[in-house]
Amino acid sequence: MARLLLGHRFAHSDKCSAQSQPKAAGWHSRTHGEKMLLLENIVVSYDGHVNALKGVTISVEQGEFVSLLGGNGSGKSTTLRTICGWLRPVSGTIHFEGHRIDGLAAEQILRRGIAMVPESRRLFPYMTVRENLLIGAYARRDSKTIREDMEHLLLLFPVLRERLNQPALTMSGGEQQMLATSRALMSRPKLLLMDEPSMGLAPILVKGVLETAKQINKEGTTILMVEQNANAALRITQRAYVLENGTVTICDNSAALLKDEKMRAVYLGNVKKRSSRDAEPAAH
Amino acid sequence: MLSQQLINGLTVGSIYALIAIGYGLAYSILEMINFAHGDTYMFGTFVCLTFLENGMNPFLSVFLAILIGGLLGVVIERLAYRPLRAASRIAPMISAVGVALVLRNGAQLIWGPAAYSFPPLLPRVVLFVFGLRLPVLQLYIFAIAAVLVLAISVLLKRLRLGWAVRAVSQDLEAARLMGIPVDRVITLIYALGAGLGVAGGILYSTYYSTVFIGMGFSGTMKAFTACILGGIGNLYGACLGGIVLGVAESLTAGYVSSAYRDAITFGLLIIMLVFRPSGILGRKTSQKV
């Protein structure tokens, strides 16, 4: 995996535009060349009446590890589902590496280099672990490097090697998460979308799953991750967006957000003085 | 007597298995009961008869009829099922009932309501092996059905396309995320199912030497029962269900009365639906999340 060895610059200083320039379409269009992924004023509706996303603007640079935080129903997962092509935005644009991808089918978006680890993993339950891994590389034709990548992932997740010939549904939640992540990596994505990788896992496994994500990012894959566990997510990512009710309300470096008073009060759980009850319920 | 009935049962069962596979594949993908499945292969079998009566080479007739059946499956999927994919699950089923009626009445318009005799495509010699009466016709039918079932199972296991079919049938949306062209795969499954159905229909007509409009509807019910018996969404389940159904019917016809043959089909269907809806080889309905 030669590409994984390349170094990447991280853009810690780049503040979120939604905060500083809420309707900065002009500013963004001048920077298409630099952003790997750029969502501009994305509006998504499930039923045609209520908007789940009300103009979300988010950008991710090459090599970054960015998290999307927020409470239930804030639109985090909807954002990922829109990027990967499961949902189509009502309005707004998505650019990936300078090309528009909103409106493309999910199978075409994968071929552009975006892979998704969906919520609750969505493995093919009656296919074996090996088959699940190989079908992750369905869009690729280079069978020799596919084997190499599989070998690389089996080194990263040794437990998968023991279970290669078992149907995916016989595995534990943690193992399934590893398989889902590996399956997505088998397509050699440039950008990996992870939707709640820690959901439904025992607390002892959560740390491992997030550490693995960090490791994957270090090897060169850009990651945009939705996570309920804000505290853990901020410790491993470089930047974070907070969504509330379908809009981006906060965006900053993860390290800064960990210390932020409002963040601590609303999303990080360890409240010292909670002044009002009108804040969004903490995400657990 | 018993061995004779078992041989009959296995023959009919292998035909049912062939018909049930296509039906079960379509069901496992969209959870849609394709009520037009039987009428599609009835139509294909009539097409085969027309070719044969016009003096076409038997192999070519069968091949073309299967091909036309497959195309018919594609057209039906495009026109009647795909536009309804986003609708509730009941809508495509009603659409399928509509397609079945169109095919049934269309066939009646073209060929008339009569039952026709079907020319013998396979030799009707009878062998005696260790005192056992072995009609060669039945051996042929069983062998052809077995080869086709085996071919499909190898295709699903080994070919890239087969993997795509299995992935789509297990999780359609996740399959999209793997870059699998889901719509094309679904079209292919309907083509494959209809083609296999026509193959089954031709074997059925060869066995019973007859082809008639009503064989479509009864075929749909047999395929449905076979799938429920064996376990829906499972290729081997559909095959096993077909064999079990065939044997049960033959034993009933042999020892009770052939008038009760369909009663046994629907009796088995009801018993399975009530006591073991997931079938003999059925998957557990609950999934680990």
Side-chain angles (χ1 to χ4, degrees), chain A residues 84 86 106-107 110-111 116 118 120-122 124-127 131 134-136 138-141 169-171 176 183, chain B residues 157 160-161 163-164 166-168 170-171 173-183 185 283-284 287-289:
Chain A
C84 80
W86 267 358
E107 52 255 41
L110 174 101
R111 283 160 205 266
M116 168 104 147
S120 59
R121 327 202 221 285
R122 304 290 290 267
F124 301 109
Y126 306 103
M127 293 172 91
E131 289 171 333
L134 289 176
I135 207 143
Y138 186 83
R140 293 169 58 184
R141 294 279 185 176
L169 88 162
T170 61
M171 300 200 302
Q176 290 195 14
R183 184 182 65 173
Chain B
K157 259 298 197 224
R160 210 172 112 85
L161 199 61
W163 286 41
R166 285 160 68 212
V168 170
Q170 289 176 27
D171 192 332
E173 288 301 319
R176 282 189 203 283
L177 290 184
M178 306 296 117
I180 295 169
V182 169
D183 288 334
V185 170
R283 295 159 172 173
K284 273 172 266 160
Q287 270 184 32
K288 212 187 271 183
V289 192

Tab-separated table of all heavy atoms in Angstrom, chain A residues 84 86 106-107 110-111 116 118 120-122 124-127 131 134-136 138-141 169-171 176 183, chain B residues 157 160-161 163-164 166-168 170-171 173-183 185 283-284 287-289:
chain	number	residue	atom	x	y	z
A	84	CYS	N	-22.061	9.749	0.773
A	84	CYS	CA	-21.786	8.459	0.124
A	84	CYS	C	-22.794	8.127	-0.958
A	84	CYS	O	-22.637	7.136	-1.669
A	84	CYS	CB	-21.726	7.334	1.151
A	84	CYS	SG	-23.336	6.726	1.670
A	86	TRP	N	-26.179	7.620	-0.576
A	86	TRP	CA	-27.408	6.945	-0.167
A	86	TRP	C	-28.587	7.913	-0.227
A	86	TRP	O	-29.709	7.521	-0.510
A	86	TRP	CB	-27.264	6.382	1.259
A	86	TRP	CG	-26.796	4.969	1.291
A	86	TRP	CD1	-26.545	4.172	0.209
A	86	TRP	CD2	-26.516	4.167	2.450
A	86	TRP	NE1	-26.128	2.930	0.638
A	86	TRP	CE2	-26.102	2.900	1.993
A	86	TRP	CE3	-26.586	4.402	3.824
A	86	TRP	CZ2	-25.763	1.870	2.866
A	86	TRP	CZ3	-26.246	3.373	4.692
A	86	TRP	CH2	-25.836	2.122	4.224
A	106	ALA	N	-24.532	5.829	-5.406
A	106	ALA	CA	-23.546	5.393	-4.413
A	106	ALA	C	-22.437	4.568	-5.052
A	106	ALA	O	-21.265	4.702	-4.692
A	106	ALA	CB	-24.237	4.590	-3.310
A	107	GLU	N	-22.809	3.700	-6.027
A	107	GLU	CA	-21.779	2.845	-6.625
A	107	GLU	C	-20.760	3.658	-7.422
A	107	GLU	O	-19.609	3.263	-7.552
A	107	GLU	CB	-22.405	1.743	-7.485
A	107	GLU	CG	-23.398	2.204	-8.521
A	107	GLU	CD	-24.838	1.903	-8.120
A	107	GLU	OE1	-25.183	2.083	-6.931
A	107	GLU	OE2	-25.617	1.492	-8.991
A	110	LEU	N	-18.363	5.503	-4.811
A	110	LEU	CA	-17.317	4.606	-4.323
A	110	LEU	C	-16.149	4.572	-5.308
A	110	LEU	O	-14.990	4.615	-4.921
A	110	LEU	CB	-17.844	3.187	-4.132
A	110	LEU	CG	-16.707	2.244	-3.755
A	110	LEU	CD1	-16.715	1.974	-2.270
A	110	LEU	CD2	-16.677	0.989	-4.556
A	111	ARG	N	-16.484	4.528	-6.587
A	111	ARG	CA	-15.425	4.450	-7.604
A	111	ARG	C	-14.603	5.732	-7.671
A	111	ARG	O	-13.501	5.745	-8.200
A	111	ARG	CB	-16.037	4.120	-8.973
A	111	ARG	CG	-16.407	2.645	-9.072
A	111	ARG	CD	-17.424	2.370	-10.158
A	111	ARG	NE	-18.178	1.155	-9.848
A	111	ARG	CZ	-17.854	-0.046	-10.302
A	111	ARG	NH1	-16.835	-0.194	-11.080
A	111	ARG	NH2	-18.568	-1.112	-9.959
A	116	MET	N	-17.562	3.947	2.741
A	116	MET	CA	-18.344	4.205	3.946
A	116	MET	C	-18.376	2.963	4.823
A	116	MET	O	-18.564	1.848	4.328
A	116	MET	CB	-19.770	4.568	3.496
A	116	MET	CG	-20.783	4.580	4.615
A	116	MET	SD	-21.197	6.260	5.099
A	116	MET	CE	-22.907	6.068	5.569
A	118	PRO	N	-20.874	1.888	7.289
A	118	PRO	CA	-22.177	2.397	7.694
A	118	PRO	C	-22.523	2.097	9.154
A	118	PRO	O	-21.912	1.238	9.785
A	118	PRO	CB	-23.144	1.703	6.742
A	118	PRO	CG	-22.435	0.541	6.204
A	118	PRO	CD	-20.968	0.739	6.382
A	120	SER	N	-24.330	0.545	12.179
A	120	SER	CA	-24.629	-0.872	12.438
A	120	SER	C	-24.013	-1.798	11.388
A	120	SER	O	-24.517	-2.874	11.119
A	120	SER	CB	-26.113	-1.133	12.638
A	120	SER	OG	-26.866	-0.763	11.535
A	121	ARG	N	-22.932	-1.349	10.774
A	121	ARG	CA	-21.970	-2.152	9.997
A	121	ARG	C	-22.448	-2.689	8.661
A	121	ARG	O	-21.712	-2.708	7.716
A	121	ARG	CB	-21.414	-3.298	10.836
A	121	ARG	CG	-21.319	-2.852	12.294
A	121	ARG	CD	-20.407	-3.553	13.145
A	121	ARG	NE	-21.015	-3.771	14.453
A	121	ARG	CZ	-21.165	-2.823	15.360
A	121	ARG	NH1	-20.727	-1.588	15.123
A	121	ARG	NH2	-21.742	-3.077	16.507
A	122	ARG	N	-23.696	-3.190	8.624
A	122	ARG	CA	-24.262	-3.632	7.352
A	122	ARG	C	-23.351	-4.607	6.603
A	122	ARG	O	-23.083	-4.455	5.411
A	122	ARG	CB	-24.575	-2.426	6.464
A	122	ARG	CG	-25.485	-1.409	7.116
A	122	ARG	CD	-26.884	-1.906	7.284
A	122	ARG	NE	-27.571	-2.016	6.031
A	122	ARG	CZ	-28.335	-1.048	5.522
A	122	ARG	NH1	-28.537	0.049	6.191
A	122	ARG	NH2	-28.940	-1.216	4.372
A	124	PHE	N	-22.487	-8.376	4.964
A	124	PHE	CA	-23.313	-9.367	4.284
A	124	PHE	C	-23.311	-10.593	5.183
A	124	PHE	O	-22.341	-11.344	5.225
A	124	PHE	CB	-22.755	-9.649	2.897
A	124	PHE	CG	-22.701	-8.403	2.061
A	124	PHE	CD1	-21.491	-7.808	1.740
A	124	PHE	CD2	-23.863	-7.793	1.647
A	124	PHE	CE1	-21.453	-6.643	0.994
A	124	PHE	CE2	-23.839	-6.618	0.907
A	124	PHE	CZ	-22.628	-6.049	0.589
A	125	PRO	N	-24.396	-10.819	5.935
A	125	PRO	CA	-24.344	-11.727	7.079
A	125	PRO	C	-24.048	-13.178	6.730
A	125	PRO	O	-23.415	-13.877	7.505
A	125	PRO	CB	-25.734	-11.590	7.710
A	125	PRO	CG	-26.594	-10.988	6.656
A	125	PRO	CD	-25.709	-10.158	5.796
A	126	TYR	N	-24.487	-13.639	5.540
A	126	TYR	CA	-24.311	-15.054	5.218
A	126	TYR	C	-23.111	-15.300	4.322
A	126	TYR	O	-22.877	-16.410	3.882
A	126	TYR	CB	-25.589	-15.607	4.575
A	126	TYR	CG	-26.785	-15.332	5.437
A	126	TYR	CD1	-27.672	-14.317	5.127
A	126	TYR	CD2	-26.981	-16.054	6.615
A	126	TYR	CE1	-28.744	-14.033	5.950
A	126	TYR	CE2	-28.052	-15.781	7.443
A	126	TYR	CZ	-28.930	-14.768	7.104
A	126	TYR	OH	-29.979	-14.485	7.927
A	127	MET	N	-22.359	-14.247	4.062
A	127	MET	CA	-21.107	-14.434	3.345
A	127	MET	C	-19.989	-14.541	4.371
A	127	MET	O	-20.086	-13.976	5.465
A	127	MET	CB	-20.864	-13.267	2.385
A	127	MET	CG	-21.883	-13.240	1.261
A	127	MET	SD	-21.801	-11.771	0.221
A	127	MET	CE	-20.673	-12.296	-1.030
A	131	GLU	N	-15.208	-13.510	2.035
A	131	GLU	CA	-16.049	-12.989	0.958
A	131	GLU	C	-16.431	-11.528	1.198
A	131	GLU	O	-16.463	-10.722	0.279
A	131	GLU	CB	-17.310	-13.857	0.814
A	131	GLU	CG	-17.020	-15.223	0.224
A	131	GLU	CD	-18.203	-16.169	0.276
A	131	GLU	OE1	-19.063	-16.023	1.178
A	131	GLU	OE2	-18.265	-17.066	-0.569
A	134	LEU	N	-13.390	-9.496	0.223
A	134	LEU	CA	-13.138	-9.430	-1.219
A	134	LEU	C	-14.219	-8.630	-1.936
A	134	LEU	O	-13.945	-7.955	-2.922
A	134	LEU	CB	-13.024	-10.847	-1.796
A	134	LEU	CG	-11.737	-11.566	-1.387
A	134	LEU	CD1	-11.735	-12.999	-1.898
A	134	LEU	CD2	-10.504	-10.830	-1.900
A	135	ILE	N	-15.450	-8.678	-1.422
A	135	ILE	CA	-16.487	-7.914	-2.098
A	135	ILE	C	-16.295	-6.417	-1.850
A	135	ILE	O	-16.750	-5.586	-2.626
A	135	ILE	CB	-17.901	-8.384	-1.700
A	135	ILE	CG1	-18.855	-8.088	-2.849
A	135	ILE	CG2	-18.394	-7.723	-0.435
A	135	ILE	CD1	-19.883	-9.102	-3.067
A	136	GLY	N	-15.557	-6.091	-0.794
A	136	GLY	CA	-15.192	-4.687	-0.590
A	136	GLY	C	-14.342	-4.162	-1.730
A	136	GLY	O	-14.328	-2.971	-2.021
A	138	TYR	N	-14.780	-4.992	-4.828
A	138	TYR	CA	-15.537	-5.334	-6.034
A	138	TYR	C	-15.229	-4.390	-7.200
A	138	TYR	O	-15.164	-4.808	-8.348
A	138	TYR	CB	-17.038	-5.287	-5.729
A	138	TYR	CG	-17.898	-5.761	-6.875
A	138	TYR	CD1	-18.132	-7.115	-7.055
A	138	TYR	CD2	-18.450	-4.865	-7.787
A	138	TYR	CE1	-18.894	-7.563	-8.108
A	138	TYR	CE2	-19.215	-5.309	-8.841
A	138	TYR	CZ	-19.437	-6.656	-8.994
A	138	TYR	OH	-20.193	-7.106	-10.050
A	139	ALA	N	-15.045	-3.124	-6.892
A	139	ALA	CA	-14.840	-2.152	-7.969
A	139	ALA	C	-13.417	-2.178	-8.523
A	139	ALA	O	-13.115	-1.493	-9.486
A	139	ALA	CB	-15.172	-0.744	-7.463
A	140	ARG	N	-12.540	-2.970	-7.885
A	140	ARG	CA	-11.145	-3.013	-8.349
A	140	ARG	C	-10.915	-4.227	-9.234
A	140	ARG	O	-11.584	-5.235	-9.110
A	140	ARG	CB	-10.205	-3.087	-7.131
A	140	ARG	CG	-10.224	-1.835	-6.290
A	140	ARG	CD	-9.505	-2.045	-4.984
A	140	ARG	NE	-8.119	-2.465	-5.167
A	140	ARG	CZ	-7.310	-2.793	-4.164
A	140	ARG	NH1	-7.752	-2.740	-2.928
A	140	ARG	NH2	-6.081	-3.156	-4.400
A	141	ARG	N	-9.917	-4.128	-10.101
A	141	ARG	CA	-9.641	-5.248	-11.003
A	141	ARG	C	-8.251	-5.831	-10.785
A	141	ARG	O	-7.889	-6.818	-11.382
A	141	ARG	CB	-9.755	-4.777	-12.458
A	141	ARG	CG	-11.161	-4.368	-12.853
A	141	ARG	CD	-11.986	-5.585	-13.188
A	141	ARG	NE	-13.314	-5.211	-13.677
A	141	ARG	CZ	-14.195	-6.092	-14.099
A	141	ARG	NH1	-13.913	-7.366	-14.101
A	141	ARG	NH2	-15.372	-5.693	-14.514
A	169	LEU	N	-22.124	-13.202	10.264
A	169	LEU	CA	-23.080	-13.021	11.361
A	169	LEU	C	-22.679	-13.783	12.621
A	169	LEU	O	-23.250	-13.539	13.678
A	169	LEU	CB	-24.511	-13.407	10.928
A	169	LEU	CG	-24.981	-14.850	11.068
A	169	LEU	CD1	-26.482	-14.891	11.007
A	169	LEU	CD2	-24.383	-15.740	10.031
A	170	THR	N	-21.706	-14.689	12.513
A	170	THR	CA	-21.313	-15.436	13.696
A	170	THR	C	-20.309	-14.660	14.553
A	170	THR	O	-19.887	-15.157	15.586
A	170	THR	CB	-20.666	-16.775	13.304
A	170	THR	OG1	-19.495	-16.495	12.518
A	170	THR	CG2	-21.608	-17.643	12.504
A	171	MET	N	-19.938	-13.475	14.144
A	171	MET	CA	-18.904	-12.753	14.889
A	171	MET	C	-19.495	-11.802	15.921
A	171	MET	O	-20.652	-11.408	15.832
A	171	MET	CB	-18.030	-11.959	13.926
A	171	MET	CG	-17.336	-12.840	12.903
A	171	MET	SD	-15.924	-12.002	12.206
A	171	MET	CE	-16.716	-10.562	11.566
A	176	GLN	N	-17.208	-7.591	14.142
A	176	GLN	CA	-17.963	-7.113	12.983
A	176	GLN	C	-17.548	-5.701	12.596
A	176	GLN	O	-17.488	-5.362	11.415
A	176	GLN	CB	-19.464	-7.147	13.281
A	176	GLN	CG	-20.012	-8.554	13.359
A	176	GLN	CD	-21.533	-8.595	13.289
A	176	GLN	OE1	-22.176	-7.630	12.926
A	176	GLN	NE2	-22.096	-9.724	13.651
A	183	ARG	N	-13.537	-4.037	5.229
A	183	ARG	CA	-14.249	-4.166	3.956
A	183	ARG	C	-14.226	-2.838	3.203
A	183	ARG	O	-13.996	-2.793	1.990
A	183	ARG	CB	-15.695	-4.604	4.223
A	183	ARG	CG	-16.503	-4.859	2.983
A	183	ARG	CD	-17.931	-5.233	3.296
A	183	ARG	NE	-18.652	-4.129	3.940
A	183	ARG	CZ	-19.951	-4.144	4.200
A	183	ARG	NH1	-20.672	-5.204	3.897
A	183	ARG	NH2	-20.535	-3.129	4.791
B	157	LYS	N	-21.254	-18.895	-6.405
B	157	LYS	CA	-20.127	-19.034	-5.487
B	157	LYS	C	-18.834	-18.488	-6.076
B	157	LYS	O	-18.013	-17.909	-5.386
B	157	LYS	CB	-19.916	-20.532	-5.171
B	157	LYS	CG	-20.477	-21.012	-3.827
B	157	LYS	CD	-19.838	-20.339	-2.662
B	157	LYS	CE	-20.040	-21.034	-1.343
B	157	LYS	NZ	-20.372	-20.117	-0.267
B	160	ARG	N	-17.579	-13.388	-10.063
B	160	ARG	CA	-17.697	-12.047	-9.524
B	160	ARG	C	-19.153	-11.594	-9.514
B	160	ARG	O	-19.667	-11.059	-8.536
B	160	ARG	CB	-16.893	-11.140	-10.456
B	160	ARG	CG	-16.274	-9.943	-9.874
B	160	ARG	CD	-15.396	-9.345	-10.959
B	160	ARG	NE	-15.936	-8.079	-11.412
B	160	ARG	CZ	-15.689	-6.937	-10.806
B	160	ARG	NH1	-14.901	-6.901	-9.754
B	160	ARG	NH2	-16.204	-5.816	-11.229
B	161	LEU	N	-19.812	-11.890	-10.643
B	161	LEU	CA	-21.206	-11.507	-10.781
B	161	LEU	C	-22.077	-12.231	-9.749
B	161	LEU	O	-23.024	-11.677	-9.198
B	161	LEU	CB	-21.656	-11.871	-12.197
B	161	LEU	CG	-22.889	-11.175	-12.710
B	161	LEU	CD1	-22.664	-9.681	-12.739
B	161	LEU	CD2	-23.226	-11.695	-14.090
B	163	TRP	N	-21.148	-13.207	-6.817
B	163	TRP	CA	-20.945	-12.556	-5.518
B	163	TRP	C	-21.814	-11.314	-5.424
B	163	TRP	O	-22.396	-11.029	-4.381
B	163	TRP	CB	-19.474	-12.148	-5.361
B	163	TRP	CG	-18.581	-13.299	-5.107
B	163	TRP	CD1	-18.626	-14.525	-5.698
B	163	TRP	CD2	-17.502	-13.349	-4.166
B	163	TRP	NE1	-17.628	-15.320	-5.199
B	163	TRP	CE2	-16.928	-14.626	-4.268
B	163	TRP	CE3	-16.973	-12.429	-3.267
B	163	TRP	CZ2	-15.856	-15.017	-3.489
B	163	TRP	CZ3	-15.895	-12.813	-2.496
B	163	TRP	CH2	-15.346	-14.093	-2.609
B	164	ALA	N	-21.881	-10.589	-6.540
B	164	ALA	CA	-22.705	-9.378	-6.552
B	164	ALA	C	-24.163	-9.744	-6.288
B	164	ALA	O	-24.846	-9.076	-5.511
B	164	ALA	CB	-22.558	-8.665	-7.891
B	166	ARG	N	-25.307	-12.333	-4.623
B	166	ARG	CA	-25.499	-12.696	-3.219
B	166	ARG	C	-25.459	-11.467	-2.323
B	166	ARG	O	-26.266	-11.330	-1.394
B	166	ARG	CB	-24.408	-13.688	-2.789
B	166	ARG	CG	-24.668	-15.080	-3.341
B	166	ARG	CD	-23.420	-15.909	-3.339
B	166	ARG	NE	-22.977	-16.237	-2.005
B	166	ARG	CZ	-21.686	-16.390	-1.669
B	166	ARG	NH1	-20.750	-16.235	-2.562
B	166	ARG	NH2	-21.371	-16.715	-0.439
B	167	ALA	N	-24.538	-10.556	-2.622
B	167	ALA	CA	-24.448	-9.347	-1.800
B	167	ALA	C	-25.736	-8.540	-1.899
B	167	ALA	O	-26.280	-8.094	-0.884
B	167	ALA	CB	-23.251	-8.499	-2.232
B	168	VAL	N	-26.245	-8.386	-3.119
B	168	VAL	CA	-27.472	-7.610	-3.299
B	168	VAL	C	-28.624	-8.284	-2.564
B	168	VAL	O	-29.450	-7.620	-1.941
B	168	VAL	CB	-27.792	-7.443	-4.802
B	168	VAL	CG1	-29.175	-6.852	-5.006
B	168	VAL	CG2	-26.761	-6.554	-5.462
B	170	GLN	N	-28.473	-10.009	0.086
B	170	GLN	CA	-28.345	-9.952	1.545
B	170	GLN	C	-28.479	-8.534	2.097
B	170	GLN	O	-28.974	-8.339	3.204
B	170	GLN	CB	-27.007	-10.557	1.983
B	170	GLN	CG	-27.010	-12.058	1.786
B	170	GLN	CD	-25.680	-12.707	2.110
B	170	GLN	OE1	-24.903	-12.210	2.907
B	170	GLN	NE2	-25.415	-13.831	1.478
B	171	ASP	N	-28.006	-7.551	1.364
B	171	ASP	CA	-28.172	-6.163	1.813
B	171	ASP	C	-27.998	-5.254	0.606
B	171	ASP	O	-26.878	-4.910	0.223
B	171	ASP	CB	-27.142	-5.819	2.898
B	171	ASP	CG	-27.469	-4.491	3.577
B	171	ASP	OD1	-28.098	-3.634	2.927
B	171	ASP	OD2	-27.099	-4.324	4.752
B	173	GLU	N	-28.681	-2.066	0.001
B	173	GLU	CA	-28.088	-0.739	0.149
B	173	GLU	C	-26.587	-0.828	0.401
B	173	GLU	O	-25.802	-0.035	-0.116
B	173	GLU	CB	-28.787	0.032	1.286
B	173	GLU	CG	-30.190	0.483	0.929
B	173	GLU	CD	-30.216	1.400	-0.286
B	173	GLU	OE1	-29.344	2.260	-0.405
B	173	GLU	OE2	-31.118	1.230	-1.126
B	174	ALA	N	-26.186	-1.808	1.217
B	174	ALA	CA	-24.757	-1.976	1.471
B	174	ALA	C	-24.035	-2.391	0.191
B	174	ALA	O	-22.885	-2.004	-0.027
B	174	ALA	CB	-24.522	-3.002	2.568
B	175	ALA	N	-24.721	-3.158	-0.666
B	175	ALA	CA	-24.101	-3.575	-1.917
B	175	ALA	C	-23.751	-2.360	-2.771
B	175	ALA	O	-22.721	-2.328	-3.433
B	175	ALA	CB	-25.036	-4.515	-2.683
B	176	ARG	N	-24.616	-1.353	-2.733
B	176	ARG	CA	-24.308	-0.117	-3.469
B	176	ARG	C	-22.997	0.488	-2.999
B	176	ARG	O	-22.215	1.000	-3.782
B	176	ARG	CB	-25.414	0.919	-3.242
B	176	ARG	CG	-26.646	0.683	-4.029
B	176	ARG	CD	-27.585	1.895	-3.881
B	176	ARG	NE	-28.954	1.544	-4.158
B	176	ARG	CZ	-29.422	1.376	-5.387
B	176	ARG	NH1	-28.643	1.548	-6.409
B	176	ARG	NH2	-30.689	1.037	-5.561
B	177	LEU	N	-22.774	0.427	-1.682
B	177	LEU	CA	-21.557	1.014	-1.116
B	177	LEU	C	-20.298	0.283	-1.575
B	177	LEU	O	-19.197	0.801	-1.461
B	177	LEU	CB	-21.600	0.983	0.417
B	177	LEU	CG	-22.585	1.894	1.122
B	177	LEU	CD1	-22.393	1.780	2.614
B	177	LEU	CD2	-22.417	3.332	0.681
B	178	MET	N	-20.461	-0.969	-2.050
B	178	MET	CA	-19.303	-1.734	-2.524
B	178	MET	C	-19.029	-1.436	-4.001
B	178	MET	O	-18.145	-2.028	-4.595
B	178	MET	CB	-19.551	-3.240	-2.372
B	178	MET	CG	-19.957	-3.694	-0.992
B	178	MET	SD	-18.637	-3.403	0.188
B	178	MET	CE	-19.430	-2.229	1.262
B	179	GLY	N	-19.830	-0.560	-4.596
B	179	GLY	CA	-19.652	-0.258	-6.009
B	179	GLY	C	-20.354	-1.243	-6.920
B	179	GLY	O	-20.071	-1.306	-8.107
B	180	ILE	N	-21.263	-2.043	-6.370
B	180	ILE	CA	-21.987	-3.031	-7.182
B	180	ILE	C	-23.149	-2.324	-7.896
B	180	ILE	O	-23.941	-1.657	-7.244
B	180	ILE	CB	-22.516	-4.176	-6.290
B	180	ILE	CG1	-21.337	-4.955	-5.695
B	180	ILE	CG2	-23.431	-5.095	-7.089
B	180	ILE	CD1	-21.730	-5.928	-4.619
B	181	PRO	N	-23.230	-2.455	-9.213
B	181	PRO	CA	-24.349	-1.833	-9.939
B	181	PRO	C	-25.646	-2.588	-9.659
B	181	PRO	O	-26.015	-3.517	-10.381
B	181	PRO	CB	-23.934	-1.925	-11.406
B	181	PRO	CG	-22.934	-3.008	-11.462
B	181	PRO	CD	-22.311	-3.165	-10.115
B	182	VAL	N	-26.324	-2.189	-8.601
B	182	VAL	CA	-27.449	-2.956	-8.062
B	182	VAL	C	-28.582	-3.137	-9.071
B	182	VAL	O	-29.122	-4.231	-9.212
B	182	VAL	CB	-27.953	-2.267	-6.773
B	182	VAL	CG1	-29.270	-2.871	-6.332
B	182	VAL	CG2	-26.915	-2.394	-5.675
B	183	ASP	N	-28.903	-2.083	-9.800
B	183	ASP	CA	-30.035	-2.185	-10.729
B	183	ASP	C	-29.762	-3.229	-11.805
B	183	ASP	O	-30.648	-4.001	-12.181
B	183	ASP	CB	-30.318	-0.822	-11.370
B	183	ASP	CG	-30.944	0.126	-10.365
B	183	ASP	OD1	-31.586	-0.376	-9.422
B	183	ASP	OD2	-30.783	1.347	-10.516
B	185	VAL	N	-27.793	-5.783	-11.513
B	185	VAL	CA	-27.814	-7.110	-10.895
B	185	VAL	C	-29.250	-7.596	-10.737
B	185	VAL	O	-29.559	-8.764	-10.991
B	185	VAL	CB	-27.085	-7.077	-9.536
B	185	VAL	CG1	-27.310	-8.368	-8.776
B	185	VAL	CG2	-25.597	-6.854	-9.757
B	283	ARG	N	-33.148	-19.458	7.704
B	283	ARG	CA	-32.274	-18.644	8.536
B	283	ARG	C	-33.071	-18.141	9.710
B	283	ARG	O	-34.273	-17.933	9.623
B	283	ARG	CB	-31.793	-17.439	7.738
B	283	ARG	CG	-30.929	-17.849	6.600
B	283	ARG	CD	-30.908	-16.740	5.576
B	283	ARG	NE	-29.930	-17.043	4.564
B	283	ARG	CZ	-29.776	-16.335	3.460
B	283	ARG	NH1	-30.527	-15.288	3.253
B	283	ARG	NH2	-28.863	-16.659	2.591
B	284	LYS	N	-32.358	-17.927	10.778
B	284	LYS	CA	-33.022	-17.317	11.915
B	284	LYS	C	-33.496	-15.938	11.506
B	284	LYS	O	-32.820	-15.230	10.769
B	284	LYS	CB	-32.047	-17.202	13.093
B	284	LYS	CG	-32.031	-18.457	13.945
B	284	LYS	CD	-30.922	-18.389	14.972
B	284	LYS	CE	-29.675	-19.052	14.451
B	284	LYS	NZ	-28.464	-18.661	15.108
B	287	GLN	N	-31.354	-11.039	13.712
B	287	GLN	CA	-29.954	-10.859	13.332
B	287	GLN	C	-29.198	-10.153	14.429
B	287	GLN	O	-29.741	-9.326	15.129
B	287	GLN	CB	-29.870	-9.983	12.082
B	287	GLN	CG	-29.905	-10.770	10.804
B	287	GLN	CD	-29.710	-9.848	9.630
B	287	GLN	OE1	-29.009	-8.860	9.752
B	287	GLN	NE2	-30.333	-10.165	8.519
B	288	LYS	N	-27.940	-10.506	14.542
B	288	LYS	CA	-27.098	-9.790	15.494
B	288	LYS	C	-26.792	-8.417	14.913
B	288	LYS	O	-26.472	-8.296	13.741
B	288	LYS	CB	-25.803	-10.564	15.687
B	288	LYS	CG	-25.234	-10.406	17.085
B	288	LYS	CD	-23.885	-11.051	17.175
B	288	LYS	CE	-23.982	-12.507	17.563
B	288	LYS	NZ	-22.648	-13.102	17.711
B	289	VAL	N	-26.900	-7.398	15.724
B	289	VAL	CA	-26.671	-6.048	15.198
B	289	VAL	C	-25.311	-5.526	15.671
B	289	VAL	O	-24.950	-5.744	16.817
B	289	VAL	CB	-27.777	-5.075	15.649
B	289	VAL	CG1	-27.660	-3.787	14.854
B	289	VAL	CG2	-29.135	-5.686	15.447
